[in-house]
Amino acid sequence: AQTVTQSQPEMSVQEAETVTLSCTYDTSESDYYLFWYKQPPSRQMILVIRQEAYKQQNATENRFSVNFQKAAKSFSLKISDSQLGDAAMYFCAYRSAFHQGAQKLVFGQGTRLTINP
Amino acid sequence: DGGITQSPKYLFRKEGQNVTLSCEQNLNHDAMYWYRQDPGQGLRLIYYSQIVNDFQKGDIAEGYSVSREKKESFPLTVTSAQKNPTAFYLCASSLGPYTDTQYFGPGTRLTVL
């Protein structure tokens, strides 16, 4: 079974600075998807960024980018120019690309990000 | 506006009662999912449905039931058999059952009194 590990329960960063959240995963599959979701105090899960394992290029969405290291099974999220609105719980998630098992997201425990003004 | 709605936002239940959580989507998505979130943890899959009139158990289905009579709707019933139902419940949908991205509703907080 796949597992996702976020080793940083909490992180903090000064406004306008850059922060990197870590995520590692364990799988024997060769094709899969990885995601970062943000959960603000409202508790709705919001998709931040996604990465397809067969793509070597790291995904980028505005101030958010990932460092995907397939061999190391690492998928970190970098937030540049941090803003107060970035404060939230961030979850790393894995989804199989194969039909068997593709139905669910496997989540990490989350990292609580605080932005200091 | 296209999206996923869940109701109610907060729900209180007495022990021994069944309660139904609503999930509706107007995204024309085929697949829908129910997840449970406990404090300090990630989400765990309860049930999913790939198509109307079909649904499958997830990792923690015991004490829960679902139906999928319409494409837009995927209600979750928390039965009295669920030993520890107090949690935050999130509904999600995706375009197809094997489509990679799932989008989430705002969630329902269930508290058993």
Side-chain angles (χ1 to χ4, degrees):
Chain A
Q2 296 82 19
T3 59
V4 176
T5 302
Q6 294 179 246
S7 59
Q8 306 153 316
E10 297 184 358
M11 293 279 287
S12 64
V13 64
Q14 291 296 124
E15 193 176 4
E17 299 282 302
T18 295
V19 63
T20 298
L21 309 183
S22 300
C23 172
T24 58
Y25 57 94
D26 187 27
T27 184
S28 59
E29 297 176 336
S30 58
D31 199 13
Y32 46 86
Y33 303 95
L34 295 165
F35 305 86
W36 279 98
Y37 282 90
K38 167 184 176 180
Q39 188 177 43
S42 67
R43 301 199 70 179
Q44 179 159 8
M45 297 289 280
I46 301 167
L47 178 68
V48 175
I49 200 164
R50 61 187 279 275
Q51 175 79 42
E52 294 135 337
Y54 63 86
K55 289 188 177 179
Q56 293 187 346
Q57 185 174 6
N58 290 323
T60 300
E61 288 287 342
N62 301 313
R63 297 182 295 108
F64 299 87
S65 61
V66 298
N67 183 5
F68 173 49
Q69 302 289 327
K70 191 173 184 179
K73 296 180 183 175
S74 171
F75 183 60
S76 61
L77 174 70
K78 185 171 83 170
I79 305 174
S80 304
D81 185 26
S82 298
Q83 300 175 0
L84 295 177
D86 295 334
M89 283 288 288
Y90 285 82
F91 290 94
C92 179
Y94 170 103
R95 181 169 182 172
S96 172
F98 297 98
H99 285 189
Q100 189 68 29
Q103 293 81 4
K104 74 175 183 182
L105 290 166
V106 178
F107 284 85
Q109 301 285 75
T111 297
R112 181 173 302 281
L113 178 65
T114 302
I115 311 295
N116 300 313
Chain B
D1 279 339
I4 304 170
T5 57
Q6 292 186 242
S7 61
K9 188 172 183 178
Y10 300 97
L11 189 55
F12 298 90
R13 189 196 89 174
K14 293 182 180 179
E15 283 195 33
Q17 286 182 337
N18 293 354
V19 65
T20 297
L21 283 59
S22 169
C23 177
E24 304 274 336
Q25 55 96 1
N26 60 4
L27 301 169
N28 200 33
H29 284 178
D30 281 325
M32 297 185 74
Y33 313 81
W34 275 104
Y35 290 88
R36 170 181 170 140
Q37 185 179 27
D38 292 288
Q41 297 188 30
L43 281 64
R44 293 180 292 167
L45 183 67
I46 305 172
Y47 266 97
Y48 64 93
S49 170
Q50 298 178 348
I51 198 168
V52 175
N53 293 322
D54 178 72
F55 49 83
Q56 304 294 330
K57 293 182 179 180
D59 296 328
I60 54 166
E62 185 176 352
Y64 299 98
S65 65
V66 294
S67 62
R68 186 85 187 278
E69 297 176 1
K70 298 187 301 181
K71 187 175 184 177
E72 302 79 18
S73 179
F74 190 41
L76 173 74
T77 296
V78 184
T79 75
S80 57
Q82 169 51 231
K83 295 289 187 276
N84 185 20
T86 294
F88 188 62
Y89 291 87
L90 285 149
C91 178
S93 71
S94 63
L95 187 59
Y98 309 115
T99 306
D100 59 310
T101 303
Q102 295 180 16
Y103 297 94
F104 286 83
T108 292
R109 171 69 181 176
L110 173 63
T111 302
V112 174
L113 303 173

